[in-house]
Amino acid sequence: MASGRRSARTNGHISTDASPENEAAPSPQEQAETATPTNVEPSESKTADDRCPACTPETIAQLDDEVNEQWAMCGACKVWYHWRCAGEGVDLDTIDKWFCKNCLTNDTTGKRAITFRAPARKSDRKRTTKNYANIEAGVNSDPKRFLNMMEGKEIKEDSFRRMEGGQVGMEWAEEDENAMKEPIVIESMEGLGMNMPDENFTVDDVGLLVGEKNPIEVIDVASQTNAPGWTVGQWVEYYNLEPHQRDKIFNVISLEISGTLLADRILPPRLVRELDWVENFWPSTRKGKGHTYPKVQLYCLMGVQGAWTDWHVDFAGSSVYYHIMHGSKVFYFIKPTPANLAAYERWSGTEIQYHTWLGDLVDEVVKVTLTAGNTMIIPTGWIHAVYTPEDTLVFGGNFLHSYNIPTQLKVRDIEIRTQVPKKFRFPMFTKLCWYVGDKYMKDLKNGIIPSSRVLDSLSSLVDFLLSETRVLERGSVQAKKEAKEQIPHDRVKDGPALARELAWRLRHASGNASDDEHTTSTNGVGYKRKRIRSRSDSPPKFRNFRPKGWDKVVETKGELDPRTLHLRRGEEIEKWTEWDNYQESENEPAVEINSRKNVITKVRLKTEGVLERERIERIVEVWTWKD
């Protein structure tokens, strides 16, 4: 079992995906033999998800200094181990088949033995071990089994919008309420604000620019597992074979190229760069060489004819841009409705995924075909599978954004419930959320109000940051430690104060409440507001946060305004919530209406040269029918 970079199956649990194929990597289907995590913060390396059965206090302590820890999976029990804990000093690259001590000790057949690889030749390609877990589950090793599984199934042709590159910008995202809710296809990259290599660029060029000796994750399509031991040069050699010369179908879907010469030739679409949280909220001084940050923006995907990536959702529900350089791809989409996401969670979390077509458990499956030159943007949470009908070269990347934070967090919750290890989730997700909250907080303090759609979405971010605050204040010692480590103290000095003040300012910006009002539920139907007196020196509502009061509050009470109308006596109370929705008739009884309008005006100086003013009008009416 040689070292790899990512895996989707760990210690008996099935993970969700990671990169963009949106054939993302790792996906629930990428059950690798071994894995080395990338983009893992040292502060996260000692959490429970990252320990192995052979860990000791000494080896756990050493993990802090190992960003790229090597993992190996036992070929019998399929449990993952740190190689430093279980490898007994042997070089992992020399191992072909490996079994843990327990499985070797309990072997009654005498057939289990650790084997070593023969010296590699230029044309040597490493083969995966048998996936015993799949065999026991009755999984066929035929790579065509996925296509056979969906024979006769109802699959609809897509009706997704086709757009010109010049139309895909912030104006579209702000003004179209359906923007970033469904996949879109851009047939030509002209006007998209995206850079890609020229049309003569090939997989051979990928090898030269990335480095032929560098390791690369390769997926065995039949078993959807990692095929360990490949280098970029070996992959290029395999890819250049004629289809009939390939003994097995392999796929590359998670080659992240940041920091390579190839990265200099790729620029994501303008809209992606304008929306991307990492691009806009992660400090530029903490990105680049020598810094650990989420590197998910630049992926190279290389699939051969017949490759398949099974159903998955990109990690943390991240959106994806996906450009086809050569070849074609067929996408199968499932909309991320609550019911469909629940079905996906059941499917990806159990053995039924091996023999069940997910499309049978959801409302509908939609098919989209992309060809060379096409670009697709796939929004938050869309469940998809991908088929490669011909050898194909793709560039793409993942990004989080502010237009659908609720679904991003919902997918993250699914990852937690299905026990996806942290190293296979969106890297440094919580820290990124704190950076995002800090930036929006500063904008709101400076009078910069996001669009209503973003404001609605940000309420979910606030809930998430408040949940982190509750862990900081009431969690276990270990939980508090881990939550504290996720706060970027270079920007956020007091996490709880930030979360609570952001919640307060968002309520004001949304117009849902002012600082002298709060809402209480009335038996679950509607809300009623209870006014409390506003004072600049009032005690703070939240620990660690003291809201600024109003400098001047003036309340003006209008004169009583009596009038008489002829209306039918009201019987249905719901009807009277429609203001001024009535028709007068002389044949109806008289009703006396006494109304008064009160106006509250508030003023405060926010910063030098910035004045905030709020005006609240209240009209109170009393209707009295006369007999």
Side-chain angles (χ1 to χ4, degrees):
M1 314 282 178
S3 63
R5 292 168 67 86
R6 286 196 183 98
S7 160
R9 189 168 304 271
T10 61
N11 296 356
H13 300 293
I14 300 172
S15 81
T16 55
D17 70 317
S19 84
E21 167 81 294
N22 249 315
E23 299 170 309
S27 76
Q29 297 72 37
E30 298 167 30
Q31 306 159 39
E33 297 295 333
T34 59
T36 301
T38 58
N39 298 331
V40 179
E41 286 185 291
S43 62
E44 293 184 345
S45 62
K46 293 172 62 177
T47 61
D49 282 339
D50 292 297
R51 296 177 184 174
C52 77
C55 275
T56 65
E58 292 75 20
T59 58
I60 291 173
Q62 292 171 356
L63 297 182
D64 277 342
D65 299 323
E66 295 293 327
V67 176
N68 292 323
E69 189 68 21
Q70 289 182 308
W71 291 75
M73 186 178 73
C74 174
C77 65
K78 304 303 177 185
V79 173
W80 289 84
Y81 289 82
H82 294 124
W83 191 245
R84 72 159 59 246
C85 299
E88 299 180 342
V90 178
D91 187 354
L92 179 56
D93 291 335
T94 66
I95 299 295
D96 182 23
K97 295 182 180 180
W98 179 78
F99 302 93
C100 67
K101 286 185 178 181
N102 287 339
C103 291
L104 288 174
T105 302
N106 297 327
D107 178 26
T108 58
T109 65
K111 294 181 180 180
R112 289 177 189 162
I114 297 175
T115 60
F116 294 80
R117 293 177 178 155
R121 300 188 302 270
K122 182 178 179 181
S123 61
D124 181 54
R125 294 195 307 275
K126 311 306 177 188
R127 302 174 181 272
T128 59
T129 58
K130 290 184 179 180
N131 189 315
Y132 295 102
N134 284 357
I135 293 174
E136 291 171 4
V139 177
N140 198 324
S141 60
D142 182 4
K144 296 181 180 179
R145 65 188 176 89
F146 304 100
L147 297 178
N148 295 335
M149 192 182 296
M150 67 178 182
E151 279 188 4
K153 305 296 184 182
E154 181 180 1
I155 299 175
K156 298 182 178 180
E157 291 297 325
D158 80 283
S159 58
F160 298 143
R161 186 175 177 182
R162 267 61 177 174
M163 299 181 68
E164 300 292 330
Q167 299 175 308
V168 185
M170 284 302 296
E171 288 187 4
W172 169 67
E174 288 288 324
E175 297 175 4
D176 188 338
E177 63 179 14
N178 293 316
M180 296 303 294
K181 289 185 178 179
E182 287 191 345
I184 60 169
V185 176
I186 305 98
E187 295 183 348
S188 170
M189 62 180 283
E190 182 179 356
L192 199 52
M194 177 176 70
N195 290 343
M196 289 287 161
D198 61 45
E199 60 183 10
N200 296 320
F201 190 87
T202 67
V203 170
D204 296 85
D205 298 312
V206 173
L208 291 173
L209 294 173
V210 173
E212 294 185 347
K213 293 184 178 180
N214 286 328
I216 187 174
E217 270 190 21
V218 175
I219 302 300
D220 182 337
V221 170
S223 61
Q224 294 287 287
T225 62
N226 181 287
W230 286 73
T231 66
V232 173
Q234 289 173 335
W235 170 258
V236 172
E237 182 183 350
Y238 166 81
Y239 185 94
N240 287 330
L241 293 173
E242 292 297 325
H244 68 274
Q245 295 177 308
R246 299 167 184 153
D247 55 348
K248 298 186 73 173
I249 303 298
F250 294 106
N251 201 9
V252 169
I253 60 179
S254 59
L255 177 59
E256 216 286 330
I257 59 174
S258 296
T260 70
L261 295 175
L262 181 53
D264 297 334
R265 303 195 181 192
I266 310 296
L267 183 68
R270 178 181 58 255
L271 176 66
V272 172
R273 288 180 277 121
E274 291 172 336
L275 295 180
D276 184 5
W277 275 5
V278 176
E279 181 80 15
N280 294 285
F281 299 117
W282 197 277
S284 58
T285 56
R286 293 184 174 268
K287 287 188 286 190
K289 188 175 181 180
H291 293 285
T292 304
Y293 68 97
K295 298 177 183 177
V296 296
Q297 295 88 351
L298 300 175
Y299 284 96
C300 176
L301 304 96
M302 297 170 281
V304 300
Q305 178 182 322
W308 172 271
T309 299
D310 213 1
W311 296 105
H312 61 276
V313 181
D314 284 88
F315 51 12
S318 53
S319 301
V320 177
Y321 74 94
Y322 192 92
H323 177 76
I324 305 227
M325 286 291 301
H326 305 296
S328 62
K329 293 280 187 178
V330 181
F331 279 76
Y332 298 90
F333 282 111
I334 296 172
K335 189 173 183 178
T337 63
N340 289 346
L341 283 173
Y344 168 75
E345 181 177 349
R346 292 193 303 271
W347 177 88
S348 64
T350 66
E351 295 295 327
I352 66 171
Q353 73 176 64
Y354 295 124
H355 50 75
T356 301
W357 171 248
L358 180 59
D360 292 337
L361 309 179
V362 299
D363 52 4
E364 66 176 13
V365 176
V366 175
K367 174 184 175 182
V368 181
T369 300
L370 300 180
T371 57
N374 291 169
T375 303
M376 181 161 60
I377 294 180
I378 305 173
T380 304
W382 280 72
I383 308 161
H384 53 281
V386 188
Y387 175 64
T388 308
E390 59 183 308
D391 294 358
T392 304
L393 173 61
V394 171
F395 290 105
N398 294 67
F399 61 102
L400 296 170
H401 59 81
S402 300
Y403 287 87
N404 201 345
I405 301 174
T407 303
Q408 290 172 176
L409 291 169
K410 184 180 296 184
V411 172
R412 179 181 179 272
D413 288 341
I414 291 175
E415 293 172 351
I416 293 173
R417 287 194 296 271
T418 54
Q419 301 183 38
V420 178
K422 288 184 179 180
K423 57 181 170 287
F424 301 138
R425 303 180 203 165
F426 194 100
M428 291 157 274
F429 177 84
T430 301
K431 182 169 288 189
L432 178 58
C433 286
W434 281 112
Y435 276 130
V436 174
D438 176 69
K439 181 59 168 64
Y440 278 112
M441 172 68 172
K442 291 175 180 175
D443 286 348
L444 291 169
K445 290 178 74 171
N446 292 325
I448 303 173
I449 309 298
S451 66
S452 59
R453 185 176 167 190
V454 171
L455 278 176
D456 291 341
S457 183
L458 284 173
S459 62
S460 293
L461 177 66
V462 166
D463 291 341
F464 174 70
L465 296 181
L466 288 174
S467 70
E468 288 294 298
T469 293
R470 287 190 287 273
V471 173
L472 285 165
E473 295 174 347
R474 290 174 252 166
S476 65
V477 174
Q478 181 63 26
K480 287 180 179 179
K481 179 177 180 293
E482 293 178 7
K484 186 176 180 179
E485 289 173 345
Q486 294 307 309
I487 298 177
H489 296 288
D490 59 308
R491 292 290 178 92
V492 180
K493 305 305 179 185
D494 188 334
L498 168 65
R500 287 167 172 140
E501 185 176 356
L502 180 60
W504 177 76
R505 291 190 181 277
L506 277 177
R507 287 201 302 273
H508 279 264
S510 302
N512 293 331
S514 63
D515 64 331
D516 69 343
E517 294 181 349
H518 68 273
T519 59
T520 55
S521 174
T522 55
N523 298 325
V525 181
Y527 293 88
K528 67 177 181 180
R529 294 175 180 260
K530 179 180 178 181
R531 183 180 166 214
I532 58 176
R533 187 175 180 181
S534 173
R535 294 179 54 189
S536 297
D537 59 349
S538 60
K541 290 177 182 289
F542 309 113
R543 186 175 11 158
N544 302 330
F545 168 61
R546 187 184 190 91
K548 177 177 172 55
W550 296 95
D551 297 325
K552 186 70 174 178
V553 179
V554 177
E555 182 172 356
T556 304
K557 294 186 177 181
E559 296 294 330
L560 195 64
D561 180 20
R563 55 191 172 127
T564 301
L565 298 176
H566 291 273
L567 295 172
R568 179 179 301 175
R569 186 185 300 271
E571 295 178 357
E572 298 180 3
I573 194 67
E574 288 80 7
K575 180 179 180 182
W576 292 93
T577 60
E578 302 175 15
W579 200 264
D580 289 342
N581 185 22
Y582 49 78
Q583 293 182 347
E584 187 176 11
S585 172
E586 294 184 357
N587 297 327
E588 301 296 341
V591 55
E592 184 179 290
I593 307 169
N594 289 299
S595 64
R596 185 195 304 273
K597 180 165 74 172
N598 298 337
V599 179
I600 301 174
T601 304
K602 307 176 184 181
V603 180
R604 63 181 163 198
L605 188 64
K606 297 190 68 177
T607 58
E608 180 111 14
V610 179
L611 182 73
E612 182 177 7
R613 186 171 68 165
E614 181 178 297
R615 177 184 172 92
I616 301 172
E617 293 187 1
R618 290 191 176 95
I619 299 177
V620 179
E621 295 182 343
V622 178
W623 295 54
T624 306
W625 272 268
K626 298 184 178 179
D627 296 331

